[in-house]
């Protein structure tokens, strides 16, 4: 029996993952025919996926072309405010609801990710997995959905804050503290630890942007 052909959702997911992984970066033009060939699907699901991504502001118009959107300073600041609030809540709920098995997985992730400190791209992927695991451990489907939307927008940032010198090691220590608070069932501590983690990441990103502007100037 032949496998079902990929539908619009599959094309959407593949394009979204390509943006998230950095295959397509802010400002890159997305061409319907090229995407269809790359992902082995017809142009119709690709067209529908592009329309959906544009509606979600992940793509923007540049004349008649669609390009991967970028975030300005204010949008980035707004995103980090929302991210801090939602992630703090996720950590609080994880401290309340996470199963022993989920806590063990989080602890094992931190231990394994220590080996990636000198590889920012790999550490960034591991960082997303870690945060997703915290979100799932909150056992609140609506919160997980909202955080998924936030992380889609995070993919529009051209660089990872984990690329900053020394940030990987610091971030891992912060992850360790987050898990410790969840292990201890300390809801306030988990909330504070994750909010602090997001705050430091935002400061790091602001410094990266300032350095980039200075270099261009």
């Amino acid at each position: 029996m032949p496998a079902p052909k990929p539908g619009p959702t599959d094309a959407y997911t593949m394009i979204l993952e390509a943006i998230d992984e950095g295959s397509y970066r802010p400002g890159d033009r997305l061409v319907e025919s090229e995407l269809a060939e790359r992902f082995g699907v017809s142009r119709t699901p690709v067209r529908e996926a592009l329309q959906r991504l544009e509606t979600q502001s992940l793509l923007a118009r540049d004349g008649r072309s669609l390009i991967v959107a970028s975030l300005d300073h204010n949008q980035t600041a707004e995103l980090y405010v929302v991210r801090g609030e939602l992630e703090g809540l996720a950590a609080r709920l994880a401290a309340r609801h996470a199963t022993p098995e989920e806590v063990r997985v989080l602890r094992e992730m931190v231990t394994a990710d220590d080996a990636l400190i000198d590889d920012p791209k790999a550490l960034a992927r591991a960082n997303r997995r870690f945060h997703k695991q915290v979100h799932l451990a909150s056992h609140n489907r609506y919160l997980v959905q909202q955080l998924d939307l936030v992380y889609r927008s995070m993919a529009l940032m051209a660089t990872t804050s984990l690329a900053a010198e020394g940030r990987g090691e610091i971030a891992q220590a912060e992850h360790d503290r987050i898990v410790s608070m969840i292990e201890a069932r300390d809801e306030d501590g988990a909330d504070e630890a994750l909010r602090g983690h997001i705050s430091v990441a935002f400061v790091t990103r602001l410094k990266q942007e300032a350095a980039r502007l200075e270099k261009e100037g």
Side-chain angles (χ1 to χ4, degrees):
M1 186 176 186
K5 291 183 178 180
T9 301
D10 300 303
Y12 168 84
T13 300
M14 288 188 287
I15 296 170
L16 188 62
E17 287 179 350
I19 294 172
D20 190 46
E21 292 168 356
S23 298
Y24 297 110
R25 304 177 70 81
D28 285 353
R29 190 163 66 102
L30 297 186
V31 179
E32 190 179 295
S33 58
E34 292 176 0
L35 291 167
E37 183 177 355
R38 171 174 178 161
F39 296 121
V41 297
S42 69
R43 293 178 64 161
T44 298
V46 169
R47 186 180 307 120
E48 293 173 0
L50 292 176
Q51 290 171 349
R52 184 178 172 190
L53 289 163
E54 183 182 8
T55 300
Q56 294 174 339
S57 299
L58 296 176
L59 300 181
R61 286 281 169 185
D62 181 21
R64 297 181 63 183
S65 300
L66 277 174
I67 62 171
V68 179
S70 57
L71 301 177
D72 62 24
H73 174 83
N74 288 337
Q75 288 172 309
T76 301
E78 291 164 9
L79 185 60
Y80 268 95
V81 168
V82 173
R83 186 184 174 196
E85 293 291 329
L86 294 180
E87 294 245 38
L89 176 58
R92 175 179 292 276
L93 293 177
R96 186 184 307 171
H97 298 301
T99 65
E101 292 81 6
E102 287 173 319
V103 176
R104 185 164 69 246
V105 168
L106 284 169
R107 175 56 65 197
E108 289 174 355
M109 280 182 168
V110 173
T111 300
D113 295 347
D114 282 341
L116 304 175
I117 286 175
D118 296 324
D119 186 345
K121 290 187 75 171
L123 189 59
R125 291 192 293 270
N127 179 68
R128 287 193 293 272
R129 288 195 297 271
F130 173 82
H131 281 268
K132 179 68 172 184
Q133 189 63 34
V134 173
H135 305 165
L136 294 172
S138 73
H139 290 266
N140 188 303
R141 72 193 70 183
Y142 301 104
L143 179 57
V144 172
Q145 288 171 1
Q146 293 306 309
L147 280 162
D148 282 347
L149 290 174
V150 168
Y151 270 76
R152 285 177 197 170
S153 295
M154 291 292 295
L156 300 179
M157 295 180 181
T159 59
T160 171
S161 61
L162 293 168
E165 185 176 355
R167 176 59 190 151
E169 189 171 355
I170 293 170
Q172 279 298 102
E174 291 166 351
H175 282 186
D176 181 79
R177 176 167 173 74
I178 291 164
V179 176
S180 294
M181 293 298 102
I182 293 173
E183 283 175 327
R185 304 297 177 182
D186 183 342
E187 296 181 24
D188 289 342
D191 187 329
E192 181 182 355
L194 217 160
R195 285 173 186 264
H197 173 58
I198 300 303
S199 177
V200 173
F202 183 32
V203 169
T204 302
R205 192 173 289 282
L206 289 174
K207 289 179 178 178
Q208 285 176 313
E209 182 63 12
R212 183 186 67 80
L213 292 173
E214 182 180 7
K215 187 175 181 180
E216 290 180 354

